[in-house]
Amino acid sequence: MDPPPEYARLRTDRPVAKARLWDGKEVWLITGYHEIRAIFTDPRISVDNTQPGYPWLSEQQRTVVLTGGVKPVGRMDPPEHTAMRRMLGQGFLVKKIQSMRGDVEALVNGLIDDILAGPRPTDLVPTLAMPVPATALGWVLGVPPADKRLISLVPRLFDEDSGLEGAMEARAELFAYIDELITHREREPGDDIISHLVGYYQEGELSRVSVLTQAVTLIAAALDTTRSMITNGILALLQHPEQAAALIAEPDLAPAAVEELLRYTVVTEFASKRVAAEDIEIAGETIKAGDGIICLISAGNRDEKFFTDPDTLDIRRDPKQHLGFGAGIHTCIGKQLARMELEVVYGTLFRRIPDLRLAVPFDQVVFRNTFDVQGVRELPVTW
């Protein structure tokens, strides 16, 4: 789960270095903590993936992401980004998210009840990591409680064995499903993200296609990352039992544990892609307008110039300046929801199953083969 040793060498020797992509294009790799944060907060750096220099990691990724024609909020620059962020932000207010904690606790406890009553070993991906974010995000989006289609559709969205055709088919089904939900919320609005977006659509500030695109993107981004972070964090704690024991003994450490696990194990290594809108100077290098940029988050989060003993997992440290949610105006819009879910899952799981352990040797854990989100395909455990 540690970053490749090459990251540390790059960070020391050339924190801003050139590399070559699959299609022959050159791209800048950023590995230093301060350099990554500078890129994230520089207004001359664009997130617009329709720009010619944007660094796609594969042809399939480019095909899947660009089909649709409307940019999601995460690929908008100001002032477009500012307006959309304001519209979406109503659904992620801290007070609103914290009001959901009791429901998430009940959900997690119910799932753990089922795990304890079921067979051993069990795979924590379908039994815990998938249903928690799918259900919680459904509440935030405005999915009717009795409607379970989102939960059933989610596994197909991230099925690595289905290839490009399967990914496009699942994506089309998700668009159709959210389109139905938009129609439902036009008739019966509530206090949820889709209802808020529909209101802006009805007032003429958004197109219906934009409402659809923003909702689908939130689902695809939030579910995959949170699902993977749940399993990555559990796996890290299983590999460091003294840290799991500390969390069990001191439940109040849960918020700090979440931040440290977000620093120590990164799920969005290659998601922080950018393109320079103007020439910039950084770490003695000139990044020219049109150059693609990839910020290697795990490298920045292990930077010894910023974090003390960065290769050690320590849930008692204060790593709140980690880069797991990004930084600047494009910091993850759903970070408060993710934090709350992770606090509940880690704290509850290890408290209720203190002897939880891997059911296979670590080297037999199968990791996902994707660029944007890193995690495990299965997490077999027993107790």
Side-chain angles (χ1 to χ4, degrees), residues 228-379:
S228 291
M229 192 58 222
I230 287 173
T231 52
N232 285 5
I234 292 170
L235 183 57
L237 289 169
L238 292 176
Q239 291 299 106
H240 297 81
E242 78 288 350
Q243 299 297 309
L247 180 59
I248 294 169
E250 302 177 59
D252 289 345
L253 284 175
V258 168
E259 301 305 318
E260 172 67 347
L261 287 163
L262 285 163
R263 181 197 69 84
Y264 186 80
T265 173
V266 174
V267 299
T268 53
E269 178 69 297
F270 300 105
S272 298
K273 299 184 288 294
R274 303 285 195 270
V275 61
E278 301 177 28
D279 291 0
I280 68 165
E281 298 284 337
I282 182 169
E285 300 286 356
T286 299
I287 299 179
K288 293 187 175 297
D291 285 355
I293 302 167
I294 299 176
C295 296
L296 296 176
I297 302 301
S298 68
N301 276 344
R302 298 292 186 96
D303 192 336
E304 57 283 340
K305 293 190 294 293
F306 190 80
F307 296 104
T308 302
D309 197 12
D311 293 326
T312 297
L313 178 66
D314 179 6
I315 66 171
R316 287 187 169 86
R317 85 163 76 225
D318 180 15
K320 289 187 179 179
Q321 295 299 311
H322 66 78
L323 300 166
F325 287 126
I329 63 171
H330 292 288
T331 186
C332 174
I333 194 170
K335 63 183 179 182
Q336 298 303 336
L337 176 60
R339 278 181 168 128
M340 185 265 287
E341 292 176 46
L342 295 171
E343 287 176 21
V344 173
V345 169
Y346 297 151
T348 307
L349 179 65
F350 284 92
R351 173 179 56 81
R352 293 199 53 191
I353 316 180
D355 54 346
L356 189 74
R357 63 186 186 275
L358 280 176
V360 298
F362 179 79
D363 61 7
Q364 292 182 22
V365 175
V366 180
F367 286 81
R368 300 175 63 195
N369 184 29
T370 63
F371 284 120
D372 273 348
V373 180
Q374 290 75 52
V376 301
R377 295 186 67 170
E378 300 174 352
L379 187 57

Side-chain angles (χ1 to χ4, degrees), residues 172-189:
E173 288 188 33
L174 179 59
F175 268 92
Y177 170 67
I178 297 301
D179 190 60
E180 288 182 30
L181 190 55
I182 290 171
T183 300
H184 171 70
R185 287 307 180 195
E186 285 176 318
R187 297 191 303 265
E188 299 180 27

